[in-house]
Amino acid sequence: MTKLDIDDETYQFFVQETLELLQCLESGLLTLRQEHSINKIHSLMRIAHSIKGGTACVGLTGIQTLAHQLENTFKVLYQENIEVDQELEELLLQAYDSLRSPLLDQIQTGKCDTDAHQEKLKQICDQIEANLGYNLSEETDSKEAETDEDIAQVLFAEEVARGLECWEMLLTNSQMPELVEKLKIQAEVFASIGQFLNLPAFVAIAQTTISALQLNPLAVKTIGKLAAKDFRSFQTAVLGGSRSPDIKPCSQLVNLAKFESQNAKNVKQDVTPEGEKEQNPKLGVRVDLERLELLNNLVGDLVTQESSFILQQQQQKEIVETISQRLNRLNKLTRKYLSRGGAKHSQLPIALEHTVAEEIAQLQAALQDITLAHQQVQQIIKKRQQTLKQLQTNLLQARMLPIGNLLNRFSRMVRDLAVKNHKQINLQLVGMNTLIDKAILEKLYDPLIHLLRNAVDHGIETPSVRQANRKSATGTITIRAYHRGNHTYIELQDDGQGIDEEKIIRRAIALNWLSSSEAETLPKNRLYEYLFAPGFSTAAKVSELSGRGVGLEVVRLQVNALKGDISVTSCRGKGTKFTLRLPFSLTITKLLVFGVDAKILAIPVDSLVAIAAVTEPQIITERVQQYYSHQGQIVPVYSHFLPSNYSYPSTPTEKKQYKGSCPWQESGKFFLLLISGKNQIIALKIDRILIEQDLAIKPFGDAIAPPPYLYGCTILGNGNLVPVIDGTELALWLGQHKPIQTHPISN
């Protein structure tokens, strides 16, 4: 059993690298049947070797042994007459699991026990040898020798290149004594690669570097730069085609490795060795997620402060305008008074007239100064807004992760489920580089798992059934991700049997949720809503995958928690598609702030279909419910849509702070906010529109139980706390509490 300091920076780097390598290794094994090439085998060998090197660096000797055994297991794949069938694929995946399981135990719990896994891996290797008739330790040596040159090219192009990038990053950012130890660890990795490829000259450079670091730790940066130059030269030679370059450690490095320099303490740490040019490699940085979260909160505060500053500037502008108006009025009154005074009271001192005129001139000059200062401040505000927008955009991108990080985890699961259920399924992943907010991505795993299992169980048919229906024996499940507007869309589509609407109707009638007459006129999209109802299932019996009626209900709840929505389309005999629509970000967005029923609320602009300024005659009333005709569609109108049983923050509005709706109100019009719900559009009648602005949304704390149709709260520039409405959830809530008529409306 191994215990390590999991807070060590080197260990954290190992964890992040290893998780990526494990995913690449699993993906490579899953596609080996389709691409059994020398390059693919090189890649598998390289990944196993990289894991072996990483575990050696952090002291996980037991897992290092497992990685070495797995690396040797892959050698059998070099045999030309070997066919990778399902049985061999299963054995290779089991061998991979013998390495993956203890590694994940180590990463998740900080400890692992490898003895049982080593015994299991040995049994798997024995089974592979028995099935194929090959000795993994002897018969693959000659083939490996033939391919060493190709492996060297791959390792130096990727593994050594990544190591040198890390080396140069350490020289730039790290301090002693951590730098000495980290460079020694990386040099040991290089020595391991040299031994693996039988390159004694490369091993000599690494060992000389280690000796120099041990004897002269104060000269660490000079040694690091000398060694980097030698490693780079060797890498260039190998990539240039040389099988065994005759490159030796430079004399300066050798001298530092032979004895402790008397002048080591006087070595200037930042001096570049003579003849070496400074390089500016593009470095990749792994950012701590907690620090990103802190930065995100700071940007949210900046947005709030910026809103306050803009409001203050607006008020200042209004003050300047008021002063100007009063000054003009004073000027006119004074002139009038003086003109009258001169006619009736000839004894009025002439000096007084000059004094008043001088004061007015000074006030005018001061006003000009204020106006000029205001213009300069406006320029500063504009630049600050641009900078803040750039910061917001870049920080948002920094929080983003490719969805491929998540989707790659599903290939193995789909493959295992297909084998277990005697089905043939091909999983296609499209849009793997689509970026998604990390906060959203980490919560998508469970919903997508439910949808995938649903597609395997309910969607894809067995090969015999598919062939009887003139389909390919292999079914296809496609997960596609893309951006559209300010939303991210994820589609999960299968080419299976589709949804049987008759089964849904029969089940809904059996549960007394639907009558036969209602079923005849119910549209498909309304019918599919029953699939998401608690306890609803069309499965004839409960299986390991489905039948309990909780899967799709959980999916909807989890997607709604992400402020998204899910829809389904299907065609009998051709397949089913689930579409998830998610917000681009859960933090800062453009909000419309409005007033209704003496309260101030906000709503994301993206959730609005339109804003209509209408008059009373344009509103149709039938059976108490009001309606509005928007582009030929009858839309229900809600005047008082806020429930009285929830205490909203008190946010009195000062009309002078916000402008924009008065011209409409003076003309006898009022505003309707048209919001797109899950199945139809609704309209909210509001009192006035206050402002549209980028604002930060803060979630409610655990102590608050808000209505389901509220995202959270935002803070306006004047400090008012304003609830933010989730338009889709509000439409759903209103539909449940105030039934909407669906029959045509007569004018």
Side-chain angles (χ1 to χ4, degrees), residues 33 54 283 419 688 709:
R33 294 172 68 180
L283 300 177
V419 171
R688 55 196 172 118
Y709 51 80

Side-chain angles (χ1 to χ4, degrees), residues 290-394:
E290 291 183 1
R291 187 172 297 277
L292 273 180
E293 201 64 39
L294 174 61
L295 286 172
N296 189 63
N297 290 333
L298 289 174
V299 170
D301 293 339
L302 277 174
V303 171
T304 301
Q305 294 166 13
E306 184 72 12
S307 300
S308 178
F309 187 63
I310 291 173
L311 180 60
Q312 291 174 1
Q313 291 304 310
Q314 178 66 28
Q315 292 173 342
Q316 179 184 349
K317 182 181 178 182
E318 292 176 0
I319 292 172
V320 171
E321 292 174 352
T322 302
I323 292 175
S324 179
Q325 292 172 359
R326 290 181 179 274
L327 185 61
N328 290 333
R329 183 181 176 185
L330 175 62
N331 191 18
K332 291 179 181 179
L333 290 174
T334 304
R335 288 179 180 278
K336 185 177 181 180
Y337 175 78
L338 289 175
S339 63
R340 290 180 179 179
K344 296 182 178 180
H345 306 282
S346 57
Q347 72 276 14
L348 187 68
I350 299 176
L352 178 60
E353 182 177 354
H354 292 302
T355 301
V356 173
E358 184 179 350
E359 289 295 331
I360 292 175
Q362 290 180 357
L363 281 173
Q364 289 175 336
L367 181 61
Q368 291 176 355
D369 291 340
I370 293 175
T371 303
L372 179 61
H374 175 73
Q375 293 173 351
Q376 293 173 342
V377 169
Q378 288 300 111
Q379 293 178 353
I380 295 173
I381 292 175
K382 186 175 181 180
K383 291 181 179 179
R384 279 183 52 183
Q385 288 176 321
Q386 292 173 348
T387 302
L388 183 61
K389 188 66 176 179
Q390 292 174 353
L391 175 61
Q392 177 186 339
T393 301
N394 283 279

